[in-house]
Amino acid sequence: MATSCLAWKEEILACSKMKRGDTSQESKGESISDRAHLLSSAPRGSGELEEIGGDRYHTHVRQKVMALLSVLTPVLAVVLCLVIGFMLVKTRDTGTSSTSPGTTKGTSKVDSRPWADQDLQDDTVISAREEEDGDWVDGGEEEELEHVPYSPPRYPAEKMLERSRDFYTLLNQRRSVRFISPEPVPQEVIDNVIRTAGTAPSGAHTEPWTFVVVSDPETKHQIRQIVEEEEEVNYRQRMGDKWVNDLARLRTNWIKEYLDVAPYLLLIFKQTYGILPNGKKKTHYYNEISVSISCGLLLAALQNVGLVTVTSTPLNCGPQIRVLLKRPANEKLLMLLPVGYPASDATVPDLKRKPLDDIMVHI
């Protein structure tokens, strides 16, 4: 038994020498399976020989594992780089879409695409979280409406044609005027103009509009300061070169003197939802479209009484102006209109409107 164990041990040592390069070329060609056979043929009962064989086996396993890891490491590195790159791109996109509107004036132009603040987005869709935050009115809680006969005046064809021509002629004279006279305008005229705007259709007849009329000089000046500060950032950064260049021929910039000069500033807010006297919230469907239609009627009513304005959607000014005017959080500024008579030296760009064939398709 001792003789066979000694012989087997010498063979094991020979295998070790082969790995270190101490044997002939023939020994180097010996396969791992042959050495494994030697281990399997070792005489039982020799703890020392079993320990030597176990060490050789574990060394072989470690070598295989290291070889496998050396192959997989580049693949894992590539996968890790792809995951990190994807996360960085998503983070950058999120940061771009939620960039703070209060960027300083000295910031360089990063994005040349048109930019608009969240106050100008339509808030028709009410999220589940918002519904959980407050007590909303169920449609079944409202009283049913009585339907009554409707008989508007009907004109002969000749009269209809005459009225349509006269109304078109009147509105075709409407222009955006930035030179407004400080001459006072009767308050009752403004009241009737806003009454007219309030006749606009709205989603589910929710009438989601609030018209704020400002004639106080100090408040008008504060509004001007807010608008000009943000408009300078808009022109220098947010709007981008293309938008600014498109406005250049109209000779516009961030200076808004008419906000101080005009006798009235009309600020139109959209109500993203209603608040009833009992504190419950009411969904306002298509609130932005509804208020926009109302603004169209408002412009027509101003033209009808001989007053002028320039439509202004002051980007990023909504929250500050809302706080200044003490409006509730459900109201978002949609449009700002300086209103008055045109100044005696007022000028407008010599623009031409598209002909009927370019704006109408008859099927």
Side-chain angles (χ1 to χ4, degrees):
M1 178 61 133
T3 302
S4 62
C5 288
L6 180 60
W8 189 86
K9 182 176 180 181
E10 290 176 351
E11 291 187 27
I12 290 296
L13 293 175
C15 289
S16 300
K17 290 181 179 180
M18 177 191 69
K19 182 180 179 183
R20 292 194 303 268
D22 298 333
T23 61
S24 65
Q25 187 66 29
E26 290 84 5
S27 297
K28 290 182 180 179
E30 181 178 301
S31 66
I32 296 298
S33 59
D34 293 336
R35 282 174 276 165
H37 174 71
L38 291 174
L39 293 175
S40 62
S41 61
R44 300 301 178 189
S46 175
E48 180 184 0
L49 294 181
E50 288 180 347
E51 180 179 352
I52 295 174
D55 290 342
R56 295 299 303 149
Y57 174 77
H58 290 306
T59 300
H60 172 62
V61 171
R62 283 196 297 271
Q63 290 174 346
K64 289 293 186 181
V65 171
M66 292 302 294
L68 181 61
L69 288 178
S70 66
V71 174
L72 292 181
T73 298
V75 177
L76 294 175
V78 171
V79 173
L80 182 60
C81 289
L82 290 175
V83 172
I84 294 175
F86 177 78
M87 293 175 64
L88 290 175
V89 169
K90 293 294 291 182
T91 303
R92 184 185 63 183
D93 292 344
T94 303
T96 301
S97 62
S98 60
T99 300
S100 175
T103 308
T104 57
K105 300 177 185 178
T107 305
S108 61
K109 294 183 180 178
V110 177
D111 192 352
S112 61
R113 293 173 296 177
W115 180 92
D117 63 14
Q118 293 186 357
D119 273 12
L120 299 180
Q121 297 177 357
D122 196 338
D123 301 291
T124 296
V125 179
I126 304 298
S127 66
R129 180 179 178 183
E130 287 176 320
E131 289 187 352
E132 293 174 359
D133 289 344
D135 189 8
W136 291 80
V137 174
D138 186 356
E141 298 180 30
E142 299 187 80
E143 298 180 0
E144 288 197 17
L145 292 174
E146 179 185 0
H147 284 222
V148 296
Y150 177 65
S151 300
R154 180 168 179 171
Y155 303 103
E158 297 80 7
K159 187 66 173 178
M160 292 171 60
L161 184 58
E162 178 186 350
R163 288 173 63 89
S164 66
R165 286 173 177 167
D166 291 345
F167 193 63
Y168 164 69
T169 300
L170 172 66
L171 291 189
N172 193 38
Q173 298 170 3
R174 189 209 59 78
R175 301 300 302 271
S176 294
V177 180
R178 294 171 175 81
F179 305 97
I180 300 177
S181 169
E183 182 181 353
V185 174
Q187 174 67 49
E188 190 175 357
V189 172
I190 301 300
D191 294 345
N192 289 331
V193 164
I194 292 178
R195 284 192 180 98
T196 302
T199 66
S202 59
H205 193 62
T206 52
E207 302 176 290
W209 40 66
T210 300
F211 300 90
V212 178
V213 180
V214 178
S215 58
D216 174 63
E218 178 58 29
T219 305
K220 288 194 298 179
H221 186 66
Q222 289 178 286
I223 292 174
R224 177 183 176 180
Q225 289 179 318
I226 293 173
V227 170
E228 288 186 344
E229 180 179 353
E230 292 298 333
E231 279 286 83
E232 183 174 2
V233 178
N234 294 334
Y235 272 83
R236 293 185 181 277
Q237 178 187 345
R238 300 186 183 115
M239 291 164 60
D241 292 335
K242 185 178 186 304
W243 192 349
V244 173
N245 291 335
D246 287 343
L247 292 174
R249 67 190 187 118
L250 303 179
R251 301 178 188 175
T252 67
N253 54 41
W254 59 84
I255 305 301
K256 313 292 183 183
E257 294 181 3
Y258 50 74
L259 295 178
D260 269 328
V261 176
Y264 293 103
L265 300 183
L266 304 186
L267 297 100
I268 300 94
F269 289 82
K270 65 177 183 179
Q271 301 170 5
T272 56
Y273 57 87
I275 302 178
L276 302 181
N278 60 7
K280 289 188 174 183
K281 298 179 181 179
K282 180 178 181 179
T283 303
H284 280 176
Y285 306 98
Y286 299 105
N287 54 77
E288 179 158 334
I289 295 176
S290 301
V291 179
S292 297
I293 296 172
S294 178
C295 289
L297 294 185
L298 177 59
L299 294 175
L302 290 172
Q303 181 67 20
N304 184 57
V305 297
L307 298 177
V308 297
T309 187
V310 54
T311 54
S312 170
T313 53
L315 302 184
N316 198 43
C317 299
Q320 298 178 74
I321 293 179
R322 184 170 66 244
V323 171
L324 174 65
L325 300 178
K326 298 180 174 59
R327 301 312 307 158
N330 66 316
E331 295 186 3
K332 311 294 184 183
L333 180 62
L334 184 67
M335 192 169 293
L336 167 58
L337 303 176
V339 173
Y341 299 109
S344 58
D345 58 348
T347 61
V348 295
D350 187 17
L351 300 175
K352 306 299 181 184
R353 291 190 167 93
K354 294 180 178 180
L356 182 62
D357 291 342
D358 286 355
I359 64 174
M360 183 181 76
V361 176
H362 191 182
I363 301 175

